[in-house]
Amino acid sequence: MTVETTAPTDGLTPDAAVRLYVDNAARAVGLEDDVAQVLGSSYREVTVQVPLRRDDGSLLVAQGYRVQHNGARGPYKGGLRYHPEADLDEVRALASLMTWKTALLDLPFGGAKGGLQVDPRHLSERELQTLTRKFALSLSHVLGVYRDIPAPDVNTNAQVMAWFMDAYSGRHGYSPAAVTGKPIDLGGAPGREAATGRGLVYVLEAAARRWGWDLAGRRVVVQGFGNVGTWAARDLEALGARVVAVSDIGGGVFNDNGLDVSRLIETVAAGGSVVDSDTPHTKLSNDEVLTLDCDILVPAALGGCITGANAADIRASLVVEGANHPVSPAADEILADRGVRVIPDILANGGGVTGSYFEWTQNIQQFQWKEDRFNTELRDRLDRAFNDVAEYSESHECTYRLASYSIALERVARAVRLRGYV
Ligand code: GLU
């Protein structure tokens, strides 16, 4: 079995990059050494072997991970990612990001992440289901409604969560609250699927109000056209913004007058790439999409796409991180020096886990909210988090990233101290 590992970005692995952001905030808030030591590593890291007999009779042995970074503020929470580069270092970084994200959103959760090192594009539906069930069973002893609650992430969706929940429930009894991001028919919350991309737009609307911006007519570029990118593009277009370019794994499409987002979504929903869409466009490479002239750039694919090598070429005035850790620390400094604002991942994409929190509470109460209540509560939480960050950034004269991490770190540190961990 060959296990790919993520290539470092600007010489840093994903975990080292996130650690640098945390260390900067730890210095800024004067975090005590004992608490820093606890927050500097994961509570638990589980590596499992997930063998699969493939449809053609061959054997695939996938590596799976669940990293529980910190649970001082509540049960571990975070998604499951199926990707060849979802190695232990990447999953560790993503678990730590979840600790800061849930704290910044003031949700009663800690942070975790799971990864299965496979490329689901090469798996049949039966293979995907079998792998998911085996993965769920191999992790089930460290999961649970009040222990650790998985959710969708890159290349996983409501159907995968349904299989995961069913396998878990088969062993532990009916447990819809043990997994979020489920189909509505199985206890999923209306609004959850849209919540990450929609939440990103709520954050942007809060920013626009605070900065006196008008989102109508703004030129937007969305890199990555999965769950987050499609919902963000759709909602931004509805607000009158002009989505001039989007990209996915197949390449990028550009139209200076604005692309037709719903036609792009139709193509992608039918299994195609945005480059197959019949919305009028010219084709661009993924790299060209990132450096297009625009007002708002939404990286919504994988980590490490804006680096020391291309940060000087970014022409957006605002970067909103739909993906987790899309901007390397070196790039972050370059962008800050150039006056490009960045709304960091732990704020910008926090709508997903906030929606998961609503789903979890509803499952525990065996009650279902209507979608408009879900969206009202989502907007309210994200507005509050955005304003906390903006105020902190103004009073401490620091970037939104440093402000976000500082607020989160102080909250988690208080919980660590109160629990008597140190
Ligand atoms: N995978 C999403 C994230 O990175 C959502 C996690 C969740 O809902 O638990 O925030």
Side-chain angles (χ1 to χ4, degrees):
M1 176 183 51
T2 49
V3 175
E4 292 180 48
T5 51
T6 319
T9 303
D10 298 332
L12 294 177
T13 67
D15 187 48
V18 171
R19 210 173 274 272
L20 204 63
Y21 288 138
V22 178
D23 288 348
N24 288 343
R27 251 194 319 279
V29 303
L31 191 71
E32 300 94 334
D33 276 351
D34 52 359
V35 178
Q37 275 185 54
V38 169
L39 297 178
S41 59
S42 322
Y43 167 69
R44 173 155 53 190
E45 299 183 341
V46 182
T47 301
V48 292
Q49 181 196 57
V50 192
L52 170 76
R53 183 61 66 184
R54 298 207 58 184
D55 295 343
D56 65 5
S58 65
L59 185 72
L60 169 81
V61 184
Q63 286 278 87
Y65 310 98
R66 184 71 179 173
V67 174
Q68 297 170 338
H69 174 258
N70 184 275
R73 289 176 44 89
Y76 300 98
K77 186 83 193 82
L80 298 172
R81 168 175 299 207
Y82 290 2
H83 196 276
E85 290 184 354
D87 63 5
L88 185 55
D89 186 277
E90 169 78 37
V91 175
R92 207 177 259 154
L94 295 167
S96 157
L97 281 176
M98 289 307 302
T99 299
W100 317 120
K101 195 183 301 185
T102 54
L104 182 60
L105 271 302
D106 209 6
L107 306 175
F109 290 133
K113 199 73 159 206
L116 192 58
Q117 269 191 286
V118 290
D119 190 342
R121 287 176 309 161
H122 301 143
L123 297 174
S124 69
E125 174 151 320
R126 186 202 68 83
E127 290 172 333
L128 192 62
Q129 175 171 178
T130 306
L131 264 183
T132 298
R133 289 182 179 281
K134 288 189 162 191
F135 191 34
L137 293 178
S138 59
L139 292 178
S140 85
H141 60 296
V142 296
L143 304 178
V145 176
Y146 295 107
R147 182 170 291 161
D148 184 353
I149 308 119
D153 196 79
V154 172
N155 291 335
T156 54
N157 57 18
Q159 176 61 77
V160 172
M161 295 307 115
W163 294 326
F164 200 97
M165 185 275 280
D166 185 66
Y168 181 88
S169 293
R171 181 168 288 174
H172 297 273
Y174 175 65
S175 325
V179 179
T180 59
K182 300 177 295 297
I184 311 276
D185 287 315
L186 296 179
R192 171 62 186 90
E193 195 163 65
T196 315
R198 176 156 292 161
L200 181 145
V201 177
Y202 289 163
V203 171
L204 254 176
E205 287 185 86
R209 277 194 300 277
R210 193 162 188 113
W211 303 338
W213 278 34
D214 192 353
L215 289 176
R218 294 276 170 179
R219 293 161 58 85
V220 177
V221 170
V222 180
Q223 180 248 9
F225 212 56
N227 174 275
V228 184
T230 50
W231 282 102
R234 189 193 312 232
D235 285 2
L236 280 166
E237 185 186 56
L239 291 174
R242 194 150 31 114
V243 179
V244 293
V246 306
S247 67
D248 64 17
I249 198 158
V253 289
F254 167 72
N255 185 332
D256 206 32
N257 297 317
L259 296 158
D260 183 334
V261 173
S262 42
R263 273 158 79 183
L264 288 168
I265 292 175
E266 268 170 36
T267 307
V268 171
S273 157
V274 290
V275 296
D276 306 321
S277 171
D278 58 5
T279 178
H281 67 264
T282 48
K283 290 191 176 44
L284 293 179
S285 73
N286 274 309
D287 291 344
E288 288 169 326
V289 165
L290 283 173
T291 53
L292 263 180
D293 186 15
C294 65
D295 299 302
I296 303 168
L297 171 62
V298 182
L302 296 172
C305 64
I306 302 178
T307 68
N310 65 1
D313 303 324
I314 300 292
R315 283 188 280 167
S317 46
L318 172 65
V319 175
V320 191
E321 297 184 341
N324 287 315
H325 74 83
V327 174
S328 76
D332 203 45
E333 267 183 40
I334 297 171
L335 294 175
D337 288 347
R338 293 181 49 224
V340 178
R341 296 185 201 237
V342 178
I343 303 185
D345 43 13
I346 58 172
L347 174 59
N349 70 32
V353 69
T354 304
S356 280
Y357 167 58
F358 300 155
E359 181 174 332
W360 180 73
T361 56
Q362 289 167 66
N363 291 153
I364 289 169
Q365 295 173 61
Q366 296 170 42
F367 187 75
Q368 194 173 64
W369 295 356
K370 292 205 174 70
E371 187 167 352
D372 56 359
R373 172 161 179 205
F374 181 103
N375 287 335
T376 306
E377 299 267 355
L378 182 65
R379 188 190 281 280
D380 187 53
R381 291 250 169 195
L382 291 171
D383 277 357
R384 243 185 295 160
F386 177 83
N387 286 318
D388 285 350
V389 170
E391 266 156 40
Y392 195 102
S393 149
E394 285 157 21
S395 61
H396 292 73
E397 294 182 6
C398 68
T399 63
Y400 276 32
R401 187 175 325 269
L402 186 57
S404 300
Y405 273 93
S406 299
I407 294 169
L409 208 54
E410 286 189 318
R411 288 184 183 159
V412 178
R414 271 202 302 278
V416 164
R417 186 77 68 205
L418 284 166
R419 278 190 184 246
Y421 281 6
V422 292

